[in-house]
Amino acid sequence: MQNGMHADIERCVRAVQSKDARFDGWFFTAVLTTRIYCRPSCPVVPPKPENMTFYPSAAACQQAGFRACKRCRPDTSPGSPEWNRRADLVARAMRLIGDGIVDREGVPGLATRLGYSTRQIERQLLAELGAGPLALARAQRAQTARLLIETTALPMAEIAFAAGFASIRTFNDTVREVFALAPSELRTRVPRSRAPGVSGTPGVLNLRLPFRAPLNPDNLFGHLAATAVPGVEEWRDGAYRRTLRLPYGHGVVALAPTADHIACRLTLSDLRDLPVAISRCRRMLDLDADPVAVDDQLRADALLAPLVDKAPGRRVPRTVDEAEFAVRAVLGQQVSTAAARTHAARLVLAHGEPVEDPEGGLTHLFPSAEALAALDPESLAMPRTRRTTFTTLVGQLADGTIHLGVESDWAETRARLLALPGFGPWTVDVIAMRALGDPDAFLPTDLGIRRAAQELGLPSTPAALTARAAAWAPWRAYAVQYLWATDGHPINFLPV
C-alpha cells in the first residue's frame, strides 16, 4: 500500500460503502457536493461514487478546501499504519511531524534532523500526502485545539497558545476553516457527560485514544507492567502509569485498556506538550498498527496460526523514550527482569529528576543521557565489561554520536549500535523492535523464542529459525510477541 491506497478508487469506494473501520486513517473521503471530508466508516449514508474523491491525509483534504465531518470526526482516526512500518524519508518525516518538531523547530529543523534539504522533503511529502510539512503540522494543531476545547475548561486564549498557534486570530480562523464551527460552538456541542473540566483537577486531561480492532491488551500492558521501573512506572487501579520527559516540561500519564479505546489520563506541566505526549503514548502502545494485515500474514504459517487465532491483535510494547529504552536494554543484559528493574531503580533514585504525583506513587523522570554520562562508573554495581558497555552508550547518546529518535534510520542506527562494545545482535534487535519501532525486528537468539520454537515444532537454532521466519516478514516483531506468549512469564498477562 506504499504508493497510496487513496489512488485505488474502486477499493476506496468499497471500503466507504461497507463502512469498513479498518481503513480509518489509511485514506479520507472528500464529498464534492457538500465539501466535507470523512473517515471510511462514517455512519451517514455513503455519497454516490461519482461525488467521492480520496486523499491520503486530513491535511490534504483541508488544503483542498474540505471541512471535517461533524459526525465521524475524521481528524481523530487512528494514524496511518504506513508511518510505523516504513523506514523511508516520508515515514521518518511523518513520525517527526507527529512528535511536534515542525512547531518547535520549523521546517528547517525537520530537514536538519533528516539530513535532506527542505525542498526535497516538501516535494516528497506533497507527492505522497498531498500536503507539505506546514500543512500537516497545521492539521495536527487543529486536532490538538479541538481536544483541548472539548476536554478542558481552559480559556480559548490559553488553548490557542497550548495548541501551537502564533495568534488568537490564526487559531479562530483555522478552527472555523477545518471544523466549520467557531471554537465556542465546538465547546457547546460537547455532550454534557463529556463536558470540559469533568476531571475536576486543573491540568488533568481525560482522553480516548482510538485503535484498529482487534487489540489484545495482555502482553502489551503485561510487558510494560512486569518490567516497570519503580518511581518511573507503576500499575495502579487497572492502569499503566509512568512519568514523561517532554520538550517543554514533564508529565504523568495513566493508560487503561477498554473494549474500543485506550483511556488516557494525562497531567502536564506545560500544555504545549499535549500533541507530543499523545503521539508518544500511541507509539508506545502501537495503536496505529493494522492488526488484520499482521495477523493474516502470520496465520499463513500453520504452526503460528493457532497462536494468532487464540489471541489475535497482539501489539509490540514500545517506549516513550528511545534513549531510556537503550539504557534499560543494557541493564537487562544477561540478568532477570527483577534484577534489571533493581539496577534501573537505583539509577533513577540517584540521578533522576524528582516529580510530584498526587494520584499515585511515581517519583522521578528517568535520568537523561547527560546525567548518566556524568556519573562515576565505579558506582555501578555491575561487571566491568557491562560497565564499559553502559558508559560508552550513555557517553555517545549524550554527545550526539548516536541519536535514537522517531526519525532514526533503522539500518544506520543498527550498524552504529553493533559497533559499540558489548552490543550483540540480541541487544540491537530488541532496541530496533521496541525503541526504533522496526516491525520486522526479530530475536532468533532469545531464550524464550528458542524455547517456544522448540515446543511448537519450529526450528530452534537461530540460523534455521531466521530462515523459517523470512515468510513472516515484514511483521516478525509481532511473531516475537506471539511466540513469547506461549510462556507463563508475567510479561504475557494483564496485571490484576
PDB file of all heavy atoms in Angstrom, residues 122-148:
ATOM      1  N   GLU A 122       9.717  18.724   1.238  1.00  0.00           N
ATOM      2  CA  GLU A 122       8.422  19.260   0.807  1.00  0.00           C
ATOM      3  C   GLU A 122       7.931  18.550  -0.447  1.00  0.00           C
ATOM      4  O   GLU A 122       6.752  18.208  -0.570  1.00  0.00           O
ATOM      5  CB  GLU A 122       8.532  20.777   0.580  1.00  0.00           C
ATOM      6  CG  GLU A 122       8.562  21.532   1.903  1.00  0.00           C
ATOM      7  CD  GLU A 122       8.867  23.008   1.736  1.00  0.00           C
ATOM      8  OE1 GLU A 122       9.258  23.419   0.622  1.00  0.00           O
ATOM      9  OE2 GLU A 122       8.719  23.746   2.725  1.00  0.00           O
ATOM     10  N   ARG A 123       8.845  18.314  -1.392  1.00  0.00           N
ATOM     11  CA  ARG A 123       8.461  17.661  -2.651  1.00  0.00           C
ATOM     12  C   ARG A 123       7.945  16.237  -2.400  1.00  0.00           C
ATOM     13  O   ARG A 123       6.923  15.835  -2.938  1.00  0.00           O
ATOM     14  CB  ARG A 123       9.656  17.641  -3.613  1.00  0.00           C
ATOM     15  CG  ARG A 123       9.286  17.203  -5.028  1.00  0.00           C
ATOM     16  CD  ARG A 123      10.418  17.442  -6.005  1.00  0.00           C
ATOM     17  NE  ARG A 123      11.627  16.718  -5.639  1.00  0.00           N
ATOM     18  CZ  ARG A 123      12.800  17.285  -5.437  1.00  0.00           C
ATOM     19  NH1 ARG A 123      12.946  18.596  -5.537  1.00  0.00           N
ATOM     20  NH2 ARG A 123      13.862  16.563  -5.129  1.00  0.00           N
ATOM     21  N   GLN A 124       8.653  15.488  -1.554  1.00  0.00           N
ATOM     22  CA  GLN A 124       8.251  14.096  -1.299  1.00  0.00           C
ATOM     23  C   GLN A 124       6.937  14.017  -0.525  1.00  0.00           C
ATOM     24  O   GLN A 124       6.089  13.177  -0.802  1.00  0.00           O
ATOM     25  CB  GLN A 124       9.358  13.351  -0.559  1.00  0.00           C
ATOM     26  CG  GLN A 124      10.581  13.107  -1.442  1.00  0.00           C
ATOM     27  CD  GLN A 124      11.246  11.761  -1.164  1.00  0.00           C
ATOM     28  OE1 GLN A 124      10.603  10.813  -0.735  1.00  0.00           O
ATOM     29  NE2 GLN A 124      12.535  11.688  -1.407  1.00  0.00           N
ATOM     30  N   LEU A 125       6.766  14.891   0.477  1.00  0.00           N
ATOM     31  CA  LEU A 125       5.516  14.869   1.246  1.00  0.00           C
ATOM     32  C   LEU A 125       4.335  15.275   0.363  1.00  0.00           C
ATOM     33  O   LEU A 125       3.263  14.673   0.438  1.00  0.00           O
ATOM     34  CB  LEU A 125       5.622  15.803   2.459  1.00  0.00           C
ATOM     35  CG  LEU A 125       6.510  15.312   3.609  1.00  0.00           C
ATOM     36  CD1 LEU A 125       6.690  16.407   4.648  1.00  0.00           C
ATOM     37  CD2 LEU A 125       5.928  14.065   4.267  1.00  0.00           C
ATOM     38  N   LEU A 126       4.535  16.281  -0.469  1.00  0.00           N
ATOM     39  CA  LEU A 126       3.460  16.704  -1.382  1.00  0.00           C
ATOM     40  C   LEU A 126       3.083  15.576  -2.337  1.00  0.00           C
ATOM     41  O   LEU A 126       1.907  15.315  -2.578  1.00  0.00           O
ATOM     42  CB  LEU A 126       3.900  17.929  -2.188  1.00  0.00           C
ATOM     43  CG  LEU A 126       3.596  19.289  -1.567  1.00  0.00           C
ATOM     44  CD1 LEU A 126       4.286  20.396  -2.362  1.00  0.00           C
ATOM     45  CD2 LEU A 126       2.091  19.535  -1.542  1.00  0.00           C
ATOM     46  N   ALA A 127       4.095  14.890  -2.863  1.00  0.00           N
ATOM     47  CA  ALA A 127       3.838  13.820  -3.831  1.00  0.00           C
ATOM     48  C   ALA A 127       3.049  12.682  -3.208  1.00  0.00           C
ATOM     49  O   ALA A 127       2.151  12.118  -3.834  1.00  0.00           O
ATOM     50  CB  ALA A 127       5.167  13.296  -4.389  1.00  0.00           C
ATOM     51  N   GLU A 128       3.363  12.346  -1.965  1.00  0.00           N
ATOM     52  CA  GLU A 128       2.716  11.177  -1.363  1.00  0.00           C
ATOM     53  C   GLU A 128       1.492  11.524  -0.521  1.00  0.00           C
ATOM     54  O   GLU A 128       0.543  10.747  -0.452  1.00  0.00           O
ATOM     55  CB  GLU A 128       3.714  10.393  -0.513  1.00  0.00           C
ATOM     56  CG  GLU A 128       3.137   9.080  -0.043  1.00  0.00           C
ATOM     57  CD  GLU A 128       4.183   8.076   0.393  1.00  0.00           C
ATOM     58  OE1 GLU A 128       5.363   8.216   0.024  1.00  0.00           O
ATOM     59  OE2 GLU A 128       3.808   7.151   1.121  1.00  0.00           O
ATOM     60  N   LEU A 129       1.501  12.692   0.119  1.00  0.00           N
ATOM     61  CA  LEU A 129       0.428  13.017   1.066  1.00  0.00           C
ATOM     62  C   LEU A 129      -0.448  14.184   0.623  1.00  0.00           C
ATOM     63  O   LEU A 129      -1.423  14.516   1.282  1.00  0.00           O
ATOM     64  CB  LEU A 129       1.035  13.338   2.434  1.00  0.00           C
ATOM     65  CG  LEU A 129       1.533  12.085   3.146  1.00  0.00           C
ATOM     66  CD1 LEU A 129       2.647  12.420   4.099  1.00  0.00           C
ATOM     67  CD2 LEU A 129       0.399  11.411   3.877  1.00  0.00           C
ATOM     68  N   GLY A 130      -0.084  14.810  -0.491  1.00  0.00           N
ATOM     69  CA  GLY A 130      -0.898  15.913  -0.990  1.00  0.00           C
ATOM     70  C   GLY A 130      -0.805  17.152  -0.124  1.00  0.00           C
ATOM     71  O   GLY A 130      -1.616  18.069  -0.254  1.00  0.00           O
ATOM     72  N   ALA A 131       0.172  17.213   0.776  1.00  0.00           N
ATOM     73  CA  ALA A 131       0.339  18.363   1.659  1.00  0.00           C
ATOM     74  C   ALA A 131       1.793  18.411   2.114  1.00  0.00           C
ATOM     75  O   ALA A 131       2.435  17.377   2.293  1.00  0.00           O
ATOM     76  CB  ALA A 131      -0.588  18.257   2.862  1.00  0.00           C
ATOM     77  N   GLY A 132       2.297  19.631   2.299  1.00  0.00           N
ATOM     78  CA  GLY A 132       3.663  19.802   2.777  1.00  0.00           C
ATOM     79  C   GLY A 132       3.726  19.765   4.287  1.00  0.00           C
ATOM     80  O   GLY A 132       2.701  19.662   4.976  1.00  0.00           O
ATOM     81  N   PRO A 133       4.932  19.897   4.863  1.00  0.00           N
ATOM     82  CA  PRO A 133       5.091  19.790   6.318  1.00  0.00           C
ATOM     83  C   PRO A 133       4.320  20.842   7.099  1.00  0.00           C
ATOM     84  O   PRO A 133       3.797  20.553   8.180  1.00  0.00           O
ATOM     85  CB  PRO A 133       6.606  19.922   6.529  1.00  0.00           C
ATOM     86  CG  PRO A 133       7.170  20.408   5.239  1.00  0.00           C
ATOM     87  CD  PRO A 133       6.226  20.009   4.166  1.00  0.00           C
ATOM     88  N   LEU A 134       4.217  22.077   6.570  1.00  0.00           N
ATOM     89  CA  LEU A 134       3.485  23.118   7.299  1.00  0.00           C
ATOM     90  C   LEU A 134       1.995  22.794   7.373  1.00  0.00           C
ATOM     91  O   LEU A 134       1.365  22.976   8.417  1.00  0.00           O
ATOM     92  CB  LEU A 134       3.694  24.489   6.635  1.00  0.00           C
ATOM     93  CG  LEU A 134       5.089  25.107   6.852  1.00  0.00           C
ATOM     94  CD1 LEU A 134       5.219  26.393   6.036  1.00  0.00           C
ATOM     95  CD2 LEU A 134       5.348  25.385   8.324  1.00  0.00           C
ATOM     96  N   ALA A 135       1.436  22.305   6.258  1.00  0.00           N
ATOM     97  CA  ALA A 135       0.009  21.947   6.243  1.00  0.00           C
ATOM     98  C   ALA A 135      -0.258  20.754   7.152  1.00  0.00           C
ATOM     99  O   ALA A 135      -1.280  20.702   7.856  1.00  0.00           O
ATOM    100  CB  ALA A 135      -0.441  21.638   4.821  1.00  0.00           C
ATOM    101  N   LEU A 136       0.657  19.778   7.176  1.00  0.00           N
ATOM    102  CA  LEU A 136       0.488  18.605   8.041  1.00  0.00           C
ATOM    103  C   LEU A 136       0.557  19.018   9.511  1.00  0.00           C
ATOM    104  O   LEU A 136      -0.224  18.538  10.341  1.00  0.00           O
ATOM    105  CB  LEU A 136       1.560  17.559   7.716  1.00  0.00           C
ATOM    106  CG  LEU A 136       1.382  16.872   6.353  1.00  0.00           C
ATOM    107  CD1 LEU A 136       2.703  16.274   5.877  1.00  0.00           C
ATOM    108  CD2 LEU A 136       0.300  15.802   6.410  1.00  0.00           C
ATOM    109  N   ALA A 137       1.493  19.923   9.833  1.00  0.00           N
ATOM    110  CA  ALA A 137       1.602  20.393  11.220  1.00  0.00           C
ATOM    111  C   ALA A 137       0.368  21.218  11.595  1.00  0.00           C
ATOM    112  O   ALA A 137      -0.110  21.146  12.727  1.00  0.00           O
ATOM    113  CB  ALA A 137       2.880  21.228  11.386  1.00  0.00           C
ATOM    114  N   ARG A 138      -0.152  21.993  10.651  1.00  0.00           N
ATOM    115  CA  ARG A 138      -1.349  22.801  10.920  1.00  0.00           C
ATOM    116  C   ARG A 138      -2.549  21.901  11.223  1.00  0.00           C
ATOM    117  O   ARG A 138      -3.340  22.179  12.141  1.00  0.00           O
ATOM    118  CB  ARG A 138      -1.647  23.675   9.703  1.00  0.00           C
ATOM    119  CG  ARG A 138      -2.931  24.489   9.788  1.00  0.00           C
ATOM    120  CD  ARG A 138      -3.085  25.286   8.489  1.00  0.00           C
ATOM    121  NE  ARG A 138      -4.303  26.080   8.465  1.00  0.00           N
ATOM    122  CZ  ARG A 138      -5.455  25.655   7.963  1.00  0.00           C
ATOM    123  NH1 ARG A 138      -5.564  24.427   7.472  1.00  0.00           N
ATOM    124  NH2 ARG A 138      -6.518  26.454   7.948  1.00  0.00           N
ATOM    125  N   ALA A 139      -2.687  20.806  10.471  1.00  0.00           N
ATOM    126  CA  ALA A 139      -3.786  19.855  10.723  1.00  0.00           C
ATOM    127  C   ALA A 139      -3.663  19.271  12.121  1.00  0.00           C
ATOM    128  O   ALA A 139      -4.658  19.068  12.824  1.00  0.00           O
ATOM    129  CB  ALA A 139      -3.778  18.747   9.671  1.00  0.00           C
ATOM    130  N   GLN A 140      -2.418  18.998  12.539  1.00  0.00           N
ATOM    131  CA  GLN A 140      -2.204  18.456  13.888  1.00  0.00           C
ATOM    132  C   GLN A 140      -2.550  19.504  14.951  1.00  0.00           C
ATOM    133  O   GLN A 140      -3.141  19.178  15.978  1.00  0.00           O
ATOM    134  CB  GLN A 140      -0.751  18.014  14.040  1.00  0.00           C
ATOM    135  CG  GLN A 140      -0.456  17.382  15.386  1.00  0.00           C
ATOM    136  CD  GLN A 140       0.869  16.657  15.403  1.00  0.00           C
ATOM    137  OE1 GLN A 140       1.003  15.580  14.830  1.00  0.00           O
ATOM    138  NE2 GLN A 140       1.857  17.242  16.014  1.00  0.00           N
ATOM    139  N   ARG A 141      -2.199  20.773  14.701  1.00  0.00           N
ATOM    140  CA  ARG A 141      -2.548  21.835  15.646  1.00  0.00           C
ATOM    141  C   ARG A 141      -4.064  21.953  15.799  1.00  0.00           C
ATOM    142  O   ARG A 141      -4.576  22.141  16.905  1.00  0.00           O
ATOM    143  CB  ARG A 141      -1.981  23.185  15.177  1.00  0.00           C
ATOM    144  CG  ARG A 141      -0.532  23.402  15.512  1.00  0.00           C
ATOM    145  CD  ARG A 141      -0.149  24.858  15.392  1.00  0.00           C
ATOM    146  NE  ARG A 141      -0.238  25.364  14.035  1.00  0.00           N
ATOM    147  CZ  ARG A 141       0.692  25.204  13.105  1.00  0.00           C
ATOM    148  NH1 ARG A 141       1.801  24.542  13.401  1.00  0.00           N
ATOM    149  NH2 ARG A 141       0.537  25.685  11.905  1.00  0.00           N
ATOM    150  N   ALA A 142      -4.768  21.837  14.660  1.00  0.00           N
ATOM    151  CA  ALA A 142      -6.239  21.930  14.707  1.00  0.00           C
ATOM    152  C   ALA A 142      -6.819  20.799  15.549  1.00  0.00           C
ATOM    153  O   ALA A 142      -7.741  21.000  16.346  1.00  0.00           O
ATOM    154  CB  ALA A 142      -6.813  21.879  13.291  1.00  0.00           C
ATOM    155  N   GLN A 143      -6.271  19.594  15.409  1.00  0.00           N
ATOM    156  CA  GLN A 143      -6.767  18.456  16.185  1.00  0.00           C
ATOM    157  C   GLN A 143      -6.483  18.659  17.676  1.00  0.00           C
ATOM    158  O   GLN A 143      -7.329  18.373  18.525  1.00  0.00           O
ATOM    159  CB  GLN A 143      -6.105  17.163  15.695  1.00  0.00           C
ATOM    160  CG  GLN A 143      -6.665  15.926  16.387  1.00  0.00           C
ATOM    161  CD  GLN A 143      -5.930  14.659  15.985  1.00  0.00           C
ATOM    162  OE1 GLN A 143      -5.227  14.630  14.985  1.00  0.00           O
ATOM    163  NE2 GLN A 143      -6.101  13.604  16.760  1.00  0.00           N
ATOM    164  N   THR A 144      -5.282  19.171  18.000  1.00  0.00           N
ATOM    165  CA  THR A 144      -4.944  19.445  19.397  1.00  0.00           C
ATOM    166  C   THR A 144      -5.891  20.492  19.976  1.00  0.00           C
ATOM    167  O   THR A 144      -6.366  20.370  21.106  1.00  0.00           O
ATOM    168  CB  THR A 144      -3.488  19.945  19.505  1.00  0.00           C
ATOM    169  OG1 THR A 144      -2.624  18.964  18.941  1.00  0.00           O
ATOM    170  CG2 THR A 144      -3.095  20.190  20.950  1.00  0.00           C
ATOM    171  N   ALA A 145      -6.174  21.533  19.181  1.00  0.00           N
ATOM    172  CA  ALA A 145      -7.085  22.583  19.636  1.00  0.00           C
ATOM    173  C   ALA A 145      -8.456  21.995  19.944  1.00  0.00           C
ATOM    174  O   ALA A 145      -9.055  22.291  20.983  1.00  0.00           O
ATOM    175  CB  ALA A 145      -7.198  23.667  18.563  1.00  0.00           C
ATOM    176  N   ARG A 146      -8.964  21.140  19.046  1.00  0.00           N
ATOM    177  CA  ARG A 146     -10.277  20.544  19.294  1.00  0.00           C
ATOM    178  C   ARG A 146     -10.263  19.724  20.587  1.00  0.00           C
ATOM    179  O   ARG A 146     -11.197  19.804  21.389  1.00  0.00           O
ATOM    180  CB  ARG A 146     -10.706  19.659  18.124  1.00  0.00           C
ATOM    181  CG  ARG A 146     -11.861  18.765  18.524  1.00  0.00           C
ATOM    182  CD  ARG A 146     -12.937  18.610  17.522  1.00  0.00           C
ATOM    183  NE  ARG A 146     -12.630  17.635  16.512  1.00  0.00           N
ATOM    184  CZ  ARG A 146     -13.506  17.258  15.566  1.00  0.00           C
ATOM    185  NH1 ARG A 146     -14.710  17.791  15.526  1.00  0.00           N
ATOM    186  NH2 ARG A 146     -13.178  16.382  14.665  1.00  0.00           N
ATOM    187  N   LEU A 147      -9.214  18.937  20.790  1.00  0.00           N
ATOM    188  CA  LEU A 147      -9.103  18.137  22.019  1.00  0.00           C
ATOM    189  C   LEU A 147      -9.199  19.018  23.256  1.00  0.00           C
ATOM    190  O   LEU A 147      -9.923  18.708  24.203  1.00  0.00           O
ATOM    191  CB  LEU A 147      -7.761  17.410  22.039  1.00  0.00           C
ATOM    192  CG  LEU A 147      -7.704  15.958  21.613  1.00  0.00           C
ATOM    193  CD1 LEU A 147      -6.270  15.459  21.662  1.00  0.00           C
ATOM    194  CD2 LEU A 147      -8.590  15.090  22.495  1.00  0.00           C
ATOM    195  N   LEU A 148      -8.434  20.112  23.260  1.00  0.00           N
ATOM    196  CA  LEU A 148      -8.420  20.996  24.426  1.00  0.00           C
ATOM    197  C   LEU A 148      -9.749  21.720  24.607  1.00  0.00           C
ATOM    198  O   LEU A 148     -10.224  21.909  25.724  1.00  0.00           O
ATOM    199  CB  LEU A 148      -7.281  22.002  24.305  1.00  0.00           C
ATOM    200  CG  LEU A 148      -5.870  21.415  24.488  1.00  0.00           C
ATOM    201  CD1 LEU A 148      -4.804  22.421  24.089  1.00  0.00           C
ATOM    202  CD2 LEU A 148      -5.648  20.966  25.923  1.00  0.00           C
TER     203      LEU A 148
END
